[in-house]
Amino acid sequence: MSDSQPHGTPAAPSLADVQRVRTVHLQRAKDAGEKFSMLTSYDVLTAGIFDRAGVDILLVGDSLGNTVLGHDSTLPVTLEHMTTLAAAVARGAQRAMVLVDLPFGSYEESPAQAVRSAVRIMKESGAHAVKIEARADLAEHVAAVVRAGIPVMGHVGFTPQSEHALGGFRIQGRGAAAQQLLDDARAMQDAGCFAVLLEMVSADAAAAVEDALDVPTVGIGAGDVTTGQVLVWQDMLGLRTGPMPRFVKQYAQLAELASEAVSAYVADVRSGAFPAEEHSYRG
């Protein structure tokens, strides 16, 4: 028993042992120096696989605009897209928290619009929380969603919905911009966010944010200093091919494996080897 553990009080379980991941467990992880994992998911099958593998948060990201719908950016993604795919992920997750992006155009207009959009996602999908790309000037929009009883993860640094305003895919938080990153992250915490995601930022700037905030941070391209880490699953498992961002580590090459399997299927069909007798019904 640690000196800080009251006599007779059972220790809180580690994150890996909880039955359903909730915001309180993520905060405990930061307080205890634990790390947690987050991975994107957009359908019931991957949600079930990732959930059983122990992923703590399943992010239904607006990255589906690129990885599922084939757009060049996340900007065309709608609330309808998000709610439909988030509902599928929620059906496949038993332990992981299901977190859903508010897409571009669904929250910037006013705090009331942000609340309406977040409420719709929560009601129609069965998700547990939303993520909002917001700097300090949109903190009131975030706070309104929190006041409505919806957990919010803030997203600062490189924000894909603002890629045109940011001048493209550029590392954030370098030099004088490090203070703005810290100010934005603090504004998200002050607005009531349970965590703040840092995307494509200097590792030094990310460390300053992690140290300054009481709530957990999640990194993607932010070094190893954040409490949590997130990757897009098609990148991590090698389903997407071609040049990868520096921050991506690929744990498998599913595109190569799938290509080989499909080529074998095509060859069997052309040769008549499939379907064989064991694949046919008789009588």
Side-chain angles (χ1 to χ4, degrees):
M1 183 186 300
S2 69
D3 293 339
S4 60
Q5 183 68 37
H7 182 71
T9 302
S14 68
L15 185 58
D17 296 326
V18 302
Q19 302 273 315
R20 168 69 84 177
V21 177
R22 302 185 184 278
T23 59
V24 63
H25 301 125
L26 303 177
Q27 185 63 55
R28 286 177 189 165
K30 170 159 183 170
D31 295 342
E34 285 188 83
K35 301 282 190 176
F36 60 80
S37 61
M38 185 159 91
L39 203 58
T40 63
S41 177
Y42 316 101
D43 63 84
V44 67
L45 294 180
T46 59
I49 293 168
F50 301 160
D51 185 73
R52 291 189 294 273
V55 175
D56 299 305
I57 306 173
L58 296 178
L59 170 64
V60 188
D62 59 0
S63 52
L64 67 86
N66 309 97
T67 60
V68 177
L69 302 178
H71 296 297
D72 292 333
S73 74
T74 64
L75 300 184
V77 175
T78 66
L79 271 174
E80 287 73 18
H81 293 138
M82 299 309 302
T83 53
T84 298
L85 298 191
V89 172
R91 295 183 194 110
Q94 299 300 313
R95 173 186 169 276
M97 172 186 290
V98 178
L99 174 69
V100 186
D101 272 336
L102 288 192
F104 178 70
S106 69
Y107 61 91
E108 297 91 340
E109 181 181 319
S110 67
Q113 184 201 28
V115 171
R116 284 195 303 272
S117 298
V119 166
R120 178 179 174 185
I121 283 177
M122 299 291 283
K123 286 174 69 70
E124 296 184 16
S125 73
H128 310 120
V130 299
K131 179 167 73 65
I132 302 178
E133 295 183 13
R135 290 182 169 79
D137 55 359
L138 286 180
E140 177 52 33
H141 299 222
V142 173
V145 177
V146 174
R147 286 195 297 269
I150 299 172
V152 178
M153 178 181 290
H155 181 158
V156 301
F158 177 74
T159 47
Q161 294 174 15
S162 304
E163 64 170 289
H164 299 304
L166 294 173
F169 286 75
R170 304 174 63 183
I171 305 300
Q172 305 294 305
R174 285 177 166 166
Q179 184 59 52
Q180 184 61 56
L181 178 73
L182 182 56
D183 291 344
D184 290 337
R186 280 176 167 154
M188 293 300 98
Q189 176 175 268
D190 293 345
C193 289
F194 69 87
V196 178
L197 187 145
L198 309 173
E199 180 168 358
M200 284 178 57
V201 303
S202 156
D204 293 334
V209 172
E210 169 70 18
D211 290 344
L213 296 191
D214 295 323
V215 300
T217 61
V218 180
I220 179 166
D224 63 354
V225 296
T226 55
T227 307
Q229 293 288 338
V230 60
L231 285 174
V232 173
W233 85 260
Q234 290 93 337
D235 294 346
M236 187 272 285
L237 288 177
L239 189 63
R240 188 169 74 89
T241 60
M244 290 289 141
R246 179 176 178 175
F247 57 78
V248 172
K249 179 177 179 179
Q250 292 192 307
Y251 289 81
Q253 295 297 327
L254 292 191
E256 181 178 338
L257 180 63
S259 180
E260 292 173 354
V262 173
S263 294
Y265 163 72
V266 170
D268 278 0
V269 170
R270 287 174 175 168
S271 70
F274 176 82
E277 181 63 28
E278 63 266 28
H279 308 120
S280 303
Y281 300 101
R282 302 293 181 186

